[in-house]
Amino acid sequence: MNTQAAQPLTDTVFALTLVLLLLAPLAIAGVALINTGLGRSRSAAQALLGNIGMIAIAAIVFALVGVAFTGNLPGTGGGAGHTFWLAGKPWNWAGAGPLLLGGLGTAAPLSQLALLFELLAVSMAVLIPWGSGADRLRLSAGLAIAAVLAAIVFPLLAHWVWAGGWLGQLGVNFSLGAGFLDGGGAATVHVLGGICALAVVWIAGPRQGKFPKEGLATAMPGHNAVYVVFGCLLALVGWLAWNVAGAVIWLHAPLAALPVTAVNTLLSAAGAVAATYTITRVRFGKPDASLCANGWLTGLVASCACAGVVKPIEAILIGLAAGVITPLLVEFFELALSIDDPSGAITVHAVGGLWGLLAAGVFASQPGQLVAQLVGIAALLGLVLPLVYLLFKLVDRFVPFRADQDGERIGMDLHELGGGAYPEFVIHRDDSYR
Amino acid sequence: MKYAGLLVMVAGFFLSIAALVLFPALVQRGVFVVCGLGVEGLGLFVTVRAHMPARGESRS
């Protein structure tokens, strides 16, 4: 998983990967549409504007600062990163590249593609918590979250996994398979985003009226199922490009392996949506559109970690499991744990990503791969989650996450933008949901 | 309790790292890493509980 040690790319592979990376933003567009559709109509414009703003801030901050910690662009000293030694083994914990994208023009083609991949990856990662904070998270808080993630957390994690960091080197240093495998960003993008979503939900709290003093949680369905389902279709195109490009850049897969990666991506999503459709059909008597969309997305997220390393039949099984857990966990988080997550990002991205990472180890042929994946999962839950929570708590002190009660009541569009996304719509009161 | 849970999660992570350093055999490493994950799960449980609203209290 170290770009510095990879073989030089042929012109054909370089061109193919570049085209794939230019299609990958469709996945980001899909997630943005899903985030918007699963929120309420009175916050739709703020939700979409927030997506664009967070991508912009993340791209700028990552290009100026974060890129130095990923270590994909070699510094003038030629060092790949900051390393300490423990028990006779090197632990490379942070990259040591130049700031401000220095050396991009003269870097090796694979390093340039890796940087573009990371730029897109950080843009996707910051959108995930935005969907969970829908209808109460302030725009300025979203931008601050994007800046923190792009400057510190994502670059460190990307270095650990992709750019010669300690997780990627578990195979070399501790004989654990091929090291931590994450070709499509299941850990660096989706689990990170899902963990951030959990932190945002904890800090911002539930929407007004979501959990009344007595009785069950109030159902607050998304305002536009068409956005949600079309976002899923758009995301498929982006995901196919994303996983195939990731297989080339991070797994150094040969051309012959790329169609299988794409097939696995589609099969995982297909298996997941089939399972979610069946579960919701059995539980509720009719299939649920938003849960099916979440199931589809969970299948895609799970495929990120394993599409390049499993067989097609295994991809279907991974998707089926993802599709079964999605509706059950969405319900469990809301009803049992009082977690108000409008986009379902904690289930879709955090749990889906963790399942994909685990599955990559379960179905791998190399000995020790499962342990490598478990160590990566331990780092995500035991180190990244507390770090993100504390950083967000700090941000919340200076840029409060939550809008005031009046703002939430009239909707984030009117409160923050001064105008609604659908000016001809009648805005419902909260008690009309009950 | 929120922060106690987070600290327990960090402790679980270091337990997993200790497995890599202390045990050369794959099975022992795997078991110890799973134990570390179990500790992290305990910490996560505590943190989740601490964020849940108390019974009878307004939850909005």
Side-chain angles (χ1 to χ4, degrees):
Chain A
M1 306 277 272
N2 185 353
T3 54
Q4 312 306 325
Q7 296 296 314
L9 287 181
T10 63
D11 287 347
T12 309
V13 177
F14 179 83
L16 167 74
T17 313
L18 184 59
V19 169
L20 288 170
L21 286 177
L22 297 180
L23 286 172
L26 288 174
I28 298 173
V31 170
L33 267 182
I34 293 167
N35 280 350
T36 305
L38 288 174
R40 287 188 282 191
S41 59
R42 64 177 101 161
S43 304
Q46 188 249 15
L48 262 183
L49 181 64
N51 284 309
I52 296 173
M54 290 177 81
I55 291 171
I57 291 290
I60 291 170
V61 172
F62 181 74
L64 295 181
V65 182
V67 69
F69 299 119
T70 62
N72 270 325
L73 297 175
T76 49
H82 299 287
T83 304
F84 65 88
W85 289 77
L86 179 67
K89 306 285 185 188
W91 295 76
N92 191 329
W93 65 276
L99 291 165
L100 310 174
L101 290 178
L104 175 62
T106 55
L110 187 58
S111 293
Q112 295 188 11
L113 291 174
L115 184 97
L116 179 56
F117 189 101
E118 286 170 347
L119 205 54
L120 295 170
V122 73
S123 302
M124 170 71 101
V126 298
L127 295 192
I128 295 168
W130 181 246
S132 293
D135 302 322
R136 76 275 204 202
L137 190 62
R138 294 167 63 236
L139 199 52
S140 52
L143 301 181
I145 286 170
V148 168
L149 286 181
I152 303 168
V153 187
F154 173 83
L156 279 179
L157 193 55
H159 178 74
W160 295 352
V161 176
W162 287 332
W166 67 274
L167 277 175
Q169 296 297 308
L170 285 175
V172 175
N173 293 330
F174 295 98
S175 307
L176 296 178
F180 184 67
L181 284 178
D182 181 19
T188 49
V189 178
H190 299 287
V191 179
L192 173 62
I195 281 172
C196 293
L198 182 60
V200 162
V201 167
W202 276 342
I203 293 169
R207 289 170 286 181
Q208 281 181 36
K210 179 66 186 175
F211 299 114
K213 279 184 182 175
E214 293 172 0
L216 291 174
T218 308
M220 294 182 176
H223 85 280
N224 196 324
V226 178
Y227 283 3
V228 176
V229 180
F230 182 66
C232 287
L233 293 172
L234 212 55
L236 173 66
V237 183
W239 240 275
L240 288 168
W242 203 292
N243 282 353
V244 175
V248 173
I249 296 170
W250 309 119
L251 305 179
H252 312 307
L255 280 175
L258 302 184
V260 179
T261 303
V263 166
N264 287 345
T265 303
L266 180 55
L267 287 178
S268 179
V273 77
T276 307
Y277 182 98
T278 308
I279 295 266
T280 54
R281 174 80 176 76
V282 170
R283 278 180 66 79
F284 310 127
K286 291 177 181 174
D288 183 288
S290 67
L291 282 175
C292 285
N294 272 342
W296 172 265
L297 212 54
T298 311
L300 288 174
V301 168
S303 77
C304 281
C306 53
V309 294
V310 298
K311 299 183 182 78
I313 184 69
E314 293 164 351
I316 295 175
L317 291 175
I318 290 165
L320 284 171
V324 169
I325 59 176
T326 300
L328 302 179
L329 274 185
V330 165
E331 202 174 315
F332 177 75
F333 284 160
E334 181 169 315
L335 299 182
L337 303 183
S338 301
I339 290 175
D340 182 17
D341 178 9
S343 68
I346 299 165
T347 302
V348 170
H349 295 276
V351 179
L354 289 172
W355 162 235
L357 292 168
L358 185 67
V362 169
F363 293 111
S365 53
Q366 304 107 312
Q369 189 61 54
L370 179 59
V371 178
Q373 299 301 108
L374 289 175
V375 171
I377 290 170
L380 288 163
L381 292 179
L383 203 58
V384 179
L385 175 55
L387 174 68
V388 163
Y389 184 83
L390 293 178
L391 285 172
F392 284 6
K393 270 282 190 188
L394 195 65
V395 172
D396 185 45
R397 279 180 171 268
F398 298 101
V399 187
F401 276 18
R402 186 162 187 140
D404 57 44
Q405 284 198 345
D406 194 47
E408 201 179 334
R409 185 182 57 78
I410 63 173
M412 300 304 283
D413 283 358
L414 279 177
H415 181 59
E416 294 219 291
L417 307 180
Y422 313 101
E424 294 171 0
F425 276 20
V426 176
I427 294 176
H428 294 274
R429 295 187 313 170
D430 280 334
D431 55 8
S432 63
Y433 287 109
R434 296 188 63 80
Chain B
M1 288 306 285
K2 293 172 188 173
Y3 296 101
L6 293 174
L7 276 176
V8 172
M9 292 173 76
V10 176
F13 165 70
F14 283 113
L15 205 58
S16 298
I17 293 300
L20 298 180
V21 177
L22 294 177
F23 300 113
L26 187 60
V27 176
Q28 285 176 313
R29 268 184 184 165
V31 170
F32 219 78
V33 168
V34 170
C35 288
L37 279 167
V39 173
E40 288 183 9
L42 196 66
L44 185 61
F45 175 77
V46 171
T47 312
V48 169
R49 289 283 300 176
H51 280 93
M52 283 172 66
R55 188 170 295 175
E57 186 179 284
S58 174
R59 297 191 292 167
S60 56

